[in-house]
Amino acid sequence: MDERMQAKLLIDAAWRRCWWIVVPMFLGLAVSIVVAKMIPKVYRGSTTILVMRQSIPEEIIRTTVTTRVEERIRSLKIQVKSRRYLEQVVKDLEIVPANATQSELDRACSHLSSMINLDWDKQGLSWFNISVDDGSAKRAADIANRLAELFIEQNSALRAAQAKGTVETVEGWLETTEKELRKRDAELARFRAKNLYELPDQETATLQLLNAAQARIQQLTGDIQMRSERLVAAQADDTARRASAGALGVPAVGDDADTRSLAQMQRELQDLLTNYTDENPLVKRKRDQIAQFVANHPVLTPPQSGDRDGVARRSPEVARLEGDIRRLEADREREQHSVDVLRRRIENMPLRQQELAALTRDYETLQHQYDANFAQKEQAKRAQDIESAKKGEQFQIQDRASPATTPFAPKPLQIVLLGLLGGLGLGVGLAALLEFIDQTVRNEEEFAHRFPDLPILGSIPNLDVDATAPGGLMGRYVRSKTTARVFFLVAAATHLILVVGGPLA
């Protein structure tokens, strides 16, 4: 059987079963219209929020808020549908009574969560949208706006809290570093005060003082030696005078050889004191020799103040020179003591340098850390000022939700079309089932198709013209009447879709 014959058979079958197709189609249409009228209307309120970048360039002031906008937008769904947000919206908009039980509040929050839909810019992350579906257009808009306000308020509060927390943290670091720095400063001050003259920076001045003291000792030694020589000469003169006095009956007090020996030993003592201290064994031995020599030669002992007639008394010159020598020796001892002190200071300087290095080992690092923390504190305070003035990265409502004039769901036209198509499909299915069950052979082509091995000898036409009306005037009348009914039904369906479906939308 060719395609033309198949098409003809399908058309004939559809024509014979047209009422089985048309009636379910119009039943589906009627049912869809009723369903579209009975389904509750759902209105959508939608609020669009823009992501506003920081108004001040980050090269000038860098924000201290570490949460990026991508993370906040991705966590938007969790935040907006959190129990805290939902309870606050339910209470603010009085969706449940003020004295509602906990179970009623839970149901209201659960229902509100199912009504919220979120959408955002998947590429640039420059906007996001909060939409709410509800049976009341005004309530849907109010819920969407309130959720957007809560999210913006929470975002601003979160950024301000993070900026404040950063400032407090950096201030804590700075305070800790400052305390440690002050402690190190106090330790260094005590160490420097205790070892003021033994610090490495005093080495040059100490060496200068040491050189000056040594030069002073050499000068004093020279003065002592000079006065000692003069003293020996004066003593010799004094001895000669006493000898002359002895010739006149006054006892002699010594001879010139002993005096010169004593003067020689005193000069040797002065030479030793030039290079050694009083504690040196050579100096001590020389002093013992002088004392022993004076003890063995009593005539060399200076006369006492009670000598008769003052003949044996020392001359004023000898007394003056001895006084100068004692004064110069005292000055030399003080200078020698200064030299010893300065030498000990120089000897202790390497040790003090090690101790100072141990105290200042981490001081510079601590100072750098303090400077860095101070700069971080100033930066954090500026960032906090930006967040307080809301000049940082913020969210701004671009389009506030307003009560919708047309419902978002259901779509009446879609329901009607689905009902019409469903009825049409049901009718076509019923017609195909009846045609499959009906085994009637209606013409020669069907007989030849079913029984290809049997020849057709002849055919008897159908005499029941009222039932089928295959031809003639009655057949044309019946077909035209059926066609008119079909067109009437199609026109009625069109009227229902265009006229009745309009108010449903």
Side-chain angles (χ1 to χ4, degrees):
M1 183 181 296
D2 56 4
E3 294 181 357
R4 182 178 180 183
M5 182 59 64
Q6 291 180 355
K8 183 175 182 301
L9 292 177
L10 291 175
I11 293 172
D12 291 342
W15 185 257
R16 286 192 302 271
R17 311 294 180 182
C18 64
W19 289 110
W20 289 95
I21 298 175
V22 173
V23 171
M25 182 178 65
F26 279 93
L27 286 176
L29 178 63
V31 170
S32 64
I33 292 174
V34 173
V35 170
K37 287 185 176 182
M38 293 179 62
I39 292 179
K41 305 296 185 296
V42 177
Y43 297 89
R44 170 166 287 187
S46 180
T47 301
T48 302
I49 301 176
L50 293 180
V51 179
M52 307 299 295
R53 303 295 180 179
Q54 181 173 310
S55 58
I56 300 178
E58 291 191 358
E59 290 77 8
I60 299 176
I61 298 178
R62 187 175 298 276
T63 180
T64 57
V65 179
T66 57
T67 306
R68 297 180 298 176
V69 63
E70 296 86 351
E71 298 174 356
R72 293 200 299 276
I73 290 180
R74 291 190 178 95
S75 64
L76 174 64
K77 184 174 182 180
I78 299 176
Q79 294 182 13
V80 170
K81 291 191 175 184
S82 64
R83 182 59 181 267
R84 182 168 59 88
Y85 272 51
L86 298 177
E87 284 188 4
Q88 188 167 354
V89 172
V90 167
K91 293 177 181 179
D92 292 345
L93 301 181
E94 298 180 354
I95 297 177
V96 295
N99 57 351
T101 62
Q102 186 63 36
S103 60
E104 292 176 345
L105 188 62
D106 292 342
R107 287 194 297 271
C109 292
S110 178
H111 178 65
L112 179 60
S113 177
S114 64
M115 295 160 53
I116 300 173
N117 300 293
L118 301 173
D119 187 22
W120 57 83
D121 183 11
K122 303 300 189 300
Q123 297 179 352
L125 298 175
S126 59
W127 59 266
F128 60 92
N129 184 275
I130 301 176
S131 59
V132 179
D133 297 336
D134 191 74
S136 172
K138 183 178 183 305
R139 186 167 58 187
D142 292 342
I143 293 173
N145 290 330
R146 185 56 181 154
L147 284 173
E149 292 170 357
L150 286 176
F151 179 75
I152 293 176
E153 292 173 2
Q154 178 66 20
N155 176 73
S156 299
L158 178 62
R159 292 183 65 88
Q162 288 184 351
K164 181 180 179 182
T166 302
V167 172
E168 292 176 352
T169 301
V170 175
E171 285 180 347
W173 295 345
L174 183 63
E175 183 178 357
T176 302
T177 307
E178 186 177 2
K179 288 182 179 178
E180 185 64 24
L181 198 59
R182 288 179 178 177
K183 180 180 177 182
R184 294 292 182 86
D185 286 337
E187 292 177 355
L188 285 174
R190 288 193 298 269
F191 179 80
R192 291 180 183 277
K194 182 179 178 181
N195 306 283
L196 179 61
Y197 300 106
E198 296 182 2
L199 297 177
D201 54 0
Q202 299 292 327
E203 183 177 4
T204 302
T206 304
L207 288 175
Q208 292 177 354
L209 292 175
L210 178 62
N211 293 332
Q214 289 177 343
R216 178 65 176 163
I217 290 174
Q218 291 179 357
Q219 181 181 359
L220 291 173
T221 301
D223 293 342
I224 291 172
Q225 186 175 1
M226 181 183 66
R227 282 170 173 74
S228 297
E229 292 175 354
R230 291 173 59 184
L231 176 62
V232 170
Q235 287 176 346
D237 294 341
D238 193 28
T239 301
R241 182 179 59 82
R242 287 196 299 271
S244 299
L248 296 176
V250 179
V253 296
D255 56 12
D256 292 339
D258 295 336
T259 302
R260 286 194 296 272
S261 299
L262 178 61
Q264 180 65 28
M265 287 188 290
Q266 289 178 345
R267 284 194 296 270
E268 292 176 357
L269 176 61
Q270 299 302 325
D271 293 338
L272 290 174
L273 289 174
T274 303
N275 299 315
Y276 305 102
T277 63
D278 292 338
E279 302 299 327
N280 190 276
L282 297 177
V283 175
K284 291 182 178 180
R285 187 180 300 112
K286 183 57 68 175
R287 288 185 185 275
D288 293 340
Q289 289 177 0
I290 293 174
Q292 185 67 30
F293 184 81
V294 172
N296 294 332
H297 299 81
V299 294
L300 296 178
T301 303
Q304 302 297 321
S305 59
D307 288 344
R308 178 173 51 88
D309 297 331
V311 178
R313 294 179 182 175
R314 293 173 298 172
S315 64
E317 179 67 16
V318 172
R320 183 181 63 80
L321 290 174
E322 289 179 349
D324 290 343
I325 292 173
R326 286 193 298 269
R327 179 176 56 79
L328 291 174
E329 288 180 348
D331 292 342
R332 187 175 62 179
E333 288 179 0
R334 287 194 297 270
E335 293 296 332
Q336 186 63 44
H337 178 72
S338 299
V339 168
D340 295 339
V341 171
L342 293 173
R343 284 176 176 173
R344 283 196 299 270
R345 290 177 182 176
I346 295 175
E347 292 173 356
N348 291 335
M349 281 183 182
L351 178 61
R352 300 295 178 259
Q353 185 174 8
Q354 292 179 358
E355 295 175 353
L356 184 62
L359 290 175
T360 59
R361 182 176 294 113
D362 299 330
Y363 185 82
E364 293 183 359
T365 303
L366 195 63
Q367 183 67 44
H368 291 324
Q369 184 178 355
Y370 176 82
D371 296 338
N373 290 340
F374 186 81
Q376 290 171 353
K377 176 186 174 182
E378 295 299 321
Q379 177 71 18
K381 282 188 174 180
R382 294 191 184 97
Q384 185 182 17
D385 294 339
I386 290 179
E387 296 300 333
S388 300
K390 295 185 178 180
K391 294 183 180 179
E393 192 176 67
Q394 298 291 330
F395 295 127
Q396 178 180 343
I397 296 178
Q398 178 66 19
D399 295 322
R400 294 183 64 87
S402 57
T405 56
T406 57
F408 174 75
K411 303 293 184 182
L413 185 60
Q414 294 179 1
I415 295 176
V416 170
L417 291 177
L418 289 175
L420 184 62
L421 293 176
L424 179 61
L426 178 62
V428 171
L430 291 174
L433 179 61
L434 292 175
E435 193 68 22
F436 178 76
I437 295 174
D438 189 3
Q439 300 296 326
T440 303
V441 178
R442 294 179 176 83
N443 49 46
E444 293 85 352
E445 289 82 0
E446 291 185 10
F447 182 85
H449 176 66
R450 294 188 180 184
F451 307 101
D453 297 335
L454 298 178
I456 300 175
L457 301 178
S459 61
I460 301 173
N462 188 2
L463 300 178
D464 188 4
V465 296
D466 293 334
T468 59
L473 182 60
M474 181 58 72
R476 289 194 298 272
Y477 171 73
V478 172
R479 286 193 295 272
S480 62
K481 187 176 180 180
T482 302
T483 303
R485 290 175 180 174
V486 172
F487 277 110
F488 174 75
L489 291 175
V490 172
T494 305
H495 176 74
L496 289 174
I497 293 174
L498 298 179
V499 179
V500 181
L504 292 176

